[in-house]
Amino acid sequence: MTGTGARWLAGALIVACVLLVGPSASNGAYVTKPLPAGAPTEVVPNRVMTWNICNPCKGSGQNAGRAAEIATYAPQVIGLQEACVGDVERIREHLRYQYGLVYHVEYGSVLRNWGRCGGVPWRPGGFGQAILSAAPMTDHVNVEYPDGGSEDRGYMAVTTLVDGRPVRVFNTHLAQRRQESVRVKQTAVLARAVARYDRTIVLGDFNAVPDTPELTGMWGLASDADSECGPSAAGACKPTTDWRSKFDYIFLRGFAPIRQRVHLTPYSDHDLVQGDLRWT
C-alpha cells in the first residue's frame, strides 16, 4: 500500500471510530463508569440537586466522573455553580451517551475568561451558573448582582417541571467567604425575586453557614431541604464542603422535604447535595 493509501485508510478508521463512540471521541472515547447497584435507571421526577463543581479547582478532564456522580442520583433538576460552559456541555454528552439521561440546559454566566474556561482568545468560555433539567425550560433570566465582591456573581432563574408541575427554579453563587457585607446585599436582591413566587426552589452555594445574618432574608421565605437544618439549629445541619461547613442549600418555598442527602465527591471541594421533595 502506498503512503497516501495508508494515510487515507488510517483517516477512515478514525472517522469510523468517532461515529461509533459518539461526538466527543476526538477528546478521548467514552468509557462508561458502572453505577452503584440500585442507581435509578431514569430521571427521578421529584429530585433536585445543587453542586458547586469548582472549576478549575482540580484541573480539567474530570467531566466523565462528574457525569457519573449525577447519573448515580438522576435528579430532575440540577443547579451547577462555578461552571464553565464547555465543561457543562461535556457533562451533558456523557450523561446522554453513557447513561441515557437527556438534560436541557440554560446558563447564568457572569464571566468570560479564557484563563479559567479556555476557548479561543477572542471567544473565551462563559463561567458562572447552569441549570440542567430533564424537562424544557422557559422564562430564563440571568441577573448579575450590583456588587459581586472580589469576583462577579449573580443568579439565574427558569421555569421548568418538578414532579410533573411547573415551578420557578433559582440558582445562585454568592460572594466569597470573608465578604459578609457583600452577601447581605446579594441575598436582598435574590430574596426580592424569590418573594414574587408562591412556589420556588432556590439552589446554590451561598458561602455562608446557616446562622449568619446574610441568610436571614432567605430563611424568612423558605426552608431547607434538610428538615433538621435552620438558622437556630446550625449545629444539626449536614456540612457540604471539604472544610465541613454547610454552604450549599436547597431552599424550598411551597414544598415539603422528603429527604436530603449529602454525597462526598472527589471532583470538587463541595459535596453534591440532593433533595427529594413533594408539593404542599
Side-chain angles (χ1 to χ4, degrees), residues 125-211:
F127 176 81
Q129 288 79 249
I131 292 178
L132 305 183
S133 176
M137 291 174 275
T138 60
D139 303 319
H140 170 220
V141 299
N142 187 32
V143 176
E144 188 171 332
Y145 292 124
D147 184 356
S150 57
E151 180 179 82
D152 294 345
R153 295 288 164 91
Y155 76 81
M156 63 179 298
V158 301
T159 299
T160 189
L161 299 181
V162 175
D163 205 17
R165 299 166 69 179
V167 64
R168 196 69 171 158
V169 178
F170 290 80
N171 183 20
T172 192
H173 185 196
L174 300 191
Q176 294 177 356
R177 279 181 285 171
R178 294 176 178 86
Q179 299 173 43
E180 294 87 352
S181 61
V182 176
R183 291 197 298 275
V184 168
K185 293 182 285 187
Q186 292 173 343
T187 51
V189 172
L190 177 63
R192 282 196 297 271
V194 171
R196 299 188 189 113
Y197 300 90
D198 293 331
R199 296 182 187 275
T200 60
I201 299 169
V202 186
L203 310 169
D205 172 8
F206 285 74
N207 270 319
V209 294
D211 57 353

Side-chain angles (χ1 to χ4, degrees), residues 1-266:
M1 181 180 292
T2 66
T4 300
R7 285 192 296 273
W8 182 92
L9 179 59
L13 289 172
I14 291 172
V15 170
C17 288
V18 170
L19 291 173
L20 283 171
V21 299
S24 292
S26 57
N27 295 323
Y30 288 126
V31 178
T32 301
K33 179 180 177 180
L35 299 181
T41 57
E42 57 187 23
V43 166
V44 181
N46 68 330
R47 178 170 293 170
V48 298
M49 178 181 290
T50 186
W51 192 14
N52 181 327
I53 60 175
C54 205
N55 181 284
C57 283
K58 298 183 180 179
S60 60
Q62 302 193 65
N63 293 313
R66 290 169 175 154
E69 296 279 272
I70 293 170
T72 298
Y73 310 106
Q76 173 78 10
V77 172
I78 308 136
L80 299 176
Q81 304 89 40
E82 292 202 61
C84 289
V85 169
D87 285 325
V88 175
E89 288 305 310
R90 285 184 281 276
I91 290 169
R92 288 179 68 219
E93 286 183 359
H94 287 293
L95 286 167
R96 179 171 185 168
Y97 293 104
Q98 291 182 253
Y99 305 108
L101 299 175
V102 179
Y103 286 99
H104 304 265
V105 65
E106 292 288 357
Y107 293 100
S109 299
V110 292
L111 290 173
R112 294 197 173 274
N113 188 298
W114 182 83
R116 188 187 286 272
C117 289
V120 291
W122 56 91
R123 192 180 179 186
F127 176 81
Q129 288 79 249
I131 292 178
L132 305 183
S133 176
M137 291 174 275
T138 60
D139 303 319
H140 170 220
V141 299
N142 187 32
V143 176
E144 188 171 332
Y145 292 124
D147 184 356
S150 57
E151 180 179 82
D152 294 345
R153 295 288 164 91
Y155 76 81
M156 63 179 298
V158 301
T159 299
T160 189
L161 299 181
V162 175
D163 205 17
R165 299 166 69 179
V167 64
R168 196 69 171 158
V169 178
F170 290 80
N171 183 20
T172 192
H173 185 196
L174 300 191
Q176 294 177 356
R177 279 181 285 171
R178 294 176 178 86
Q179 299 173 43
E180 294 87 352
S181 61
V182 176
R183 291 197 298 275
V184 168
K185 293 182 285 187
Q186 292 173 343
T187 51
V189 172
L190 177 63
R192 282 196 297 271
V194 171
R196 299 188 189 113
Y197 300 90
D198 293 331
R199 296 182 187 275
T200 60
I201 299 169
V202 186
L203 310 169
D205 172 8
F206 285 74
N207 270 319
V209 294
D211 57 353
T212 49
E214 56 263 41
L215 291 188
T216 300
M218 290 305 303
W219 289 121
L221 292 170
S223 58
D224 191 60
D226 180 355
S227 59
E228 301 298 318
C229 182
S232 60
C237 300
K238 296 181 178 65
T240 65
T241 65
D242 281 1
W243 48 97
R244 310 327 297 154
S245 295
K246 180 178 172 67
F247 280 3
D248 305 273
Y249 296 81
I250 299 174
F251 281 114
L252 303 177
R253 179 171 167 85
F255 292 89
I258 297 173
R259 70 180 62 85
Q260 178 188 273
R261 292 176 179 170
V262 178
H263 307 286
L264 300 176
T265 170

